Amino acid sequence: MTLDEKLIKTVPTKVQVEHQKTEFYAFVHFTVNTFTDKEWGDGTESPAIFNPSNLDAEQWAKTFKAAGMKGMVLTCKHHDGFCLWPSRFTEHSIKNSPYKNGKGDIVREASDACRKYGLKFGVYLSPWDRNSVYYGRGKEYDDYYVAQLTELLTQYGELFTVWFDGACGEGPNGKKQVYDWTRYYSTIRKLQPDAAITGCGPDVRWCGNEGGHTRYAEWSVVSERMLYGLYPNGEKLIKEASEAGMKEIKIDAPDLGSRELMKDEKSYIWYASEYDVSIRPGWFWHENENEKLRSLDNLIKIYDNSVGGNATLILNAPPTPEGLIHENDVQRLTELGQYIEKSFRENMTDSAEVTASEADEIHSIKNVLKDGYDAFYMPEKGNKTPDIIFKWNEPVNIGKIVLKENILCSQRVETFSVDIMKNGRFEEYFKGSVIGYQRFISMNGIKTDLLRIRITDSREEPTLAFIGIYKNIE
Ligand code: FUL
């Protein structure tokens, strides 16, 4: 079997596909830190300081909806150990705070608001707990952690993700905990089989930085070695690889999936990337960061290069001590949402005549006009470099192009180009690397009546599930 044949055998699970389709969602960092002006609490904070005066989770949900997001992940417990729900297993929670006289449950408020506004809901439960007396005591802590996880997995309806932070510092007794990931993962699989285990988990890969620095080519098919440390056989894999003289693969390396890199690997996994970014310098709200938000241009760049670069994006917007998303954040997120809405408002492929390199009837090029994996384009056997041409009666003004592979058949496209007709000749306008789940191409309002997409290299025959060519709307 050739390398390409081996690579394209790697496909996503149903959970991974659903997660990728969520594309863009919010991170909400909220805990005692919001009241102490810190990024990390040390676990000694009194629950008495936690008292949001005007909390409105529906305001969060409305804001995220307006931003074009499809979900929200709440820090139900951060490293300080304070729980935003009345956990039965600790006193360090909202039940001992003045908020709603100890009767509040912010996980409930957030999950209800998500359902009301059509957003998916997910949880973050920090394994590092600087408050718990069990932390660092092995199984005793794992029992405590799994008990809390179970509360979150069973009391708040369907979760689309459980977001794991790998941070592992010292607890109150000065000891570190060795997390029993296998047990945490199996608890999730049992209680929420449709939830993707993200970050420090086997379903979705942490991109390797928190600054929105995206890759030139983001591959979802990577070496199984990327799971080092996450699985019981991680140790075994590390040992085998080092005995074979193989170099370590770093999670933040610019290339994680090229053929060059994959050719020496033994086994492959589907492990798509997620970018976690905060709209502010910190993850939690700080008064002195109200004027330090990321610019709209910067957010657009990150959005286009992650959601439109074969990854997902979780963008953090932290509530204030009042319990609201700050007006500056609301405004920036709304502007971003308007940009997204405008970018994909009018697909012009309907009014074009489309032709392509030959394919059998089932895999006709017509299939790319409708989004979805049920029907897709694939050229005839042996053709790894098909052309696709769109022709309009009159020149059209193009903002963005969207390309999607049928990832149920793996990620195949290595490189592609977009050409436009100029003075009777096709000229290359854009040269790109991978496509994967989704690739955006900015065409900056160029006018043409003839556009050609050329797949220039692919792992076996490429597949295309969707092509959208959107009108430039100023
Ligand atoms: C990190 C944490 O230490 C930060 O506080 C934040 O939660 C970020 C998303 O992950 O590991």
Side-chain angles (χ1 to χ4, degrees), residues 27 29 39-40 78-79 124 163 165 167 210 276 283-284:
F27 219 164
H29 274 68
E39 275 294 297
W40 282 1
H78 202 253
H79 309 330
Y124 166 114
W163 207 100
D165 196 318
E210 293 179 340
D276 62 327
W283 291 98
F284 289 91

Side-chain angles (χ1 to χ4, degrees), residues 284-390:
F284 289 91
W285 182 86
H286 306 287
E287 173 107 65
N288 65 3
E289 292 183 355
N290 283 344
E291 307 300 329
K292 294 188 183 152
L293 267 60
R294 286 179 182 274
S295 68
L296 179 61
D297 281 351
N298 179 258
L299 289 175
I300 287 174
K301 189 170 147 223
I302 294 173
Y303 175 83
D304 280 351
N305 291 339
S306 56
V307 176
N310 192 37
T312 47
L313 174 60
I314 180 163
L315 179 61
N316 180 64
T320 62
E322 257 193 298
L324 298 170
I325 309 294
H326 189 272
E327 56 183 348
N328 292 357
D329 305 48
V330 172
Q331 193 192 334
R332 192 55 42 84
L333 288 168
T334 307
E335 288 163 1
L336 179 62
Q338 285 162 350
Y339 163 82
I340 296 169
E341 189 279 322
K342 264 198 310 200
S343 299
F344 308 109
R345 193 183 295 168
E346 198 181 325
N347 185 357
M348 303 183 295
T349 57
D350 280 352
S351 60
E353 187 193 317
V354 54
T355 52
S357 304
E358 229 160 286
D360 63 33
E361 216 171 301
I362 299 177
H363 299 112
S364 154
I365 191 62
K366 298 272 181 293
N367 295 335
V368 303
L369 303 177
K370 199 171 144 273
D371 203 352
Y373 298 140
D374 290 344
F376 58 97
Y377 169 71
M378 185 166 71
E380 60 187 1
K381 185 110 195 89
N383 186 357
K384 299 179 193 174
T385 57
D387 290 351
I388 299 131
I389 294 176
F390 288 88

Side-chain angles (χ1 to χ4, degrees), residues 451-463:
L451 179 138
R452 181 169 71 182
I453 296 160
R454 266 181 303 131
I455 307 296
T456 46
D457 188 13
S458 172
R459 299 174 176 182
E460 299 300 309
E461 298 81 19
T463 73

